Amino acid sequence: MSPCPQFAADCPSRVLFDQIADKWSMMVLAVLDDGPQRFNAIKRRLEGVTQKALTQCLRKLERNGLIARRVIPTSPVGVEYAITPLGRSLQVPFRALYAWTAENLPKVERARNAFDGGTGAGTLAL
Amino acid sequence: MSPCPQFAADCPSRVLFDQIADKWSMMVLAVLDDGPQRFNAIKRRLEGVTQKALTQCLRKLERNGLIARRVIPTSPVGVEYAITPLGRSLQVPFRALYAWTAENLPKVERARNAFDGGTGAGTLAL
DNA sequence: CGGTATCCCACCTGATACTG
DNA sequence: CAGTATCAGGTGGGATACCG
């Protein structure tokens, strides 16, 4: 199986992957999967995210049709973000990835210890 | 479903995700899925990758136990990289993600055009 | 509240040169 | 061949301040 025999720069998979695989996108979608959320509510659940980074991430997700932005014209403006059906469909492969991390974290940690601890002897064991 | 009620910075999924979700890792694993490859052979198949970036990526994958590095003591040294069973297991969720990109690229492109073209009216359509 | 604008700095990048 | 070393330069992040 090789969908792209070579990974050209304009390979659709590459282009799209660059869009969805950043540090925060997956988590934002996971948060919004619980239901629509306000900006600061999302921010509170993503430990370590800055306002700037979150804003950029939300814009990108919105641009790609994965989330929807709705302005609530209250006294101090409110903005609500909601996951779209397209965004929800991306949750499926994302959850598969999450499951992999949960299942294989111990193995990765063991490999890392072997690599770091050894003088490079890790290559022998594999 | 919320495996992490909140995304703490030390959430195992977050930590591991940061390790595997960079620009090149997924493609390197896909290339090595065809069989062991030499450094420059991999480089040739990843259009746009620099030697430095590829070296860093291969080191990280090796450290995390996803690929194995083998030095072939020939006249000009040769180095062969091979995917490990652990790396191969990661291919499963990666392929699911690839399938999603292939299937949903048109929808994303349409959303993007709506967002870019419109004055922000894209929020209405969703 | 939900941003945008600004500054500043760390980092990543590309290019080049050099080594075992 | 497969790197490491180095340096210039652009990109992005963090902090702060300010606007609707």
Side-chain angles (χ1 to χ4, degrees):
Chain A
M1 95 95 219
S2 35
C4 286
Q6 161 184 331
F7 289 95
D10 61 350
C11 166
S13 143
R14 271 188 64 168
V15 174
L16 196 40
F17 184 76
D18 285 348
Q19 290 289 315
I20 62 180
D22 71 275
K23 190 175 169 62
W24 301 107
S25 290
M26 195 177 76
M27 282 183 274
V28 168
L29 288 181
V31 165
L32 293 183
D33 205 35
D34 293 344
Q37 306 275 326
R38 298 276 294 269
F39 184 89
N40 280 327
I42 300 170
K43 186 172 184 304
R44 250 171 272 124
R45 294 195 40 193
L46 268 46
E47 191 180 282
V49 75
T50 63
Q51 194 183 40
K52 190 176 177 178
L54 182 56
T55 300
Q56 288 172 345
C57 180
L58 289 169
R59 284 280 173 285
K60 192 165 73 172
L61 288 171
E62 186 193 0
R63 191 169 100 95
N64 289 321
L66 301 173
I67 64 172
R69 180 177 182 271
R70 196 186 62 136
V71 177
I72 309 162
T74 49
S75 36
V77 232
V79 181
E80 196 178 71
Y81 292 93
I83 194 168
T84 63
L86 186 59
R88 217 174 276 280
S89 74
L90 182 54
Q91 283 281 85
V92 178
F94 271 178
R95 275 200 274 261
L97 202 53
Y98 177 85
W100 187 91
T101 62
E103 190 178 341
N104 294 282
L105 179 64
K107 291 180 190 169
V108 171
E109 280 179 336
R110 238 175 291 134
R112 199 141 45 182
N113 288 335
F115 185 89
D116 293 345
T119 59
T123 53
L124 299 173
L126 293 170
Chain B
M1 95 98 215
S2 37
C4 285
Q6 161 185 333
F7 290 95
D10 61 349
C11 167
S13 145
R14 271 188 63 168
V15 175
L16 196 39
F17 184 76
D18 286 347
Q19 290 290 314
I20 62 180
D22 72 275
K23 191 176 169 61
W24 301 108
S25 290
M26 196 177 73
M27 281 182 275
V28 168
L29 288 181
V31 165
L32 293 184
D33 205 34
D34 292 345
Q37 306 273 327
R38 299 275 295 267
F39 184 89
N40 280 327
I42 300 170
K43 186 172 185 304
R44 249 171 271 125
R45 295 194 41 192
L46 268 45
E47 192 179 281
V49 75
T50 62
Q51 194 183 40
K52 192 175 176 180
L54 183 55
T55 300
Q56 288 173 345
C57 180
L58 290 169
R59 285 280 173 284
K60 191 165 75 170
L61 288 172
E62 187 195 0
R63 190 169 101 96
N64 288 322
L66 301 172
I67 64 172
R69 181 176 181 272
R70 196 186 62 135
V71 177
I72 309 162
T74 50
S75 35
V77 230
V79 180
E80 196 178 73
Y81 291 92
I83 194 169
T84 62
L86 185 59
R88 216 174 277 280
S89 75
L90 182 54
Q91 284 281 86
V92 178
F94 272 177
R95 275 200 276 260
L97 202 53
Y98 177 86
W100 187 91
T101 64
E103 191 179 341
N104 294 283
L105 181 64
K107 292 180 190 171
V108 172
E109 279 177 338
R110 238 176 291 134
R112 200 141 45 183
N113 288 336
F115 185 90
D116 294 346
T119 58
T123 53
L124 297 173
L126 294 170

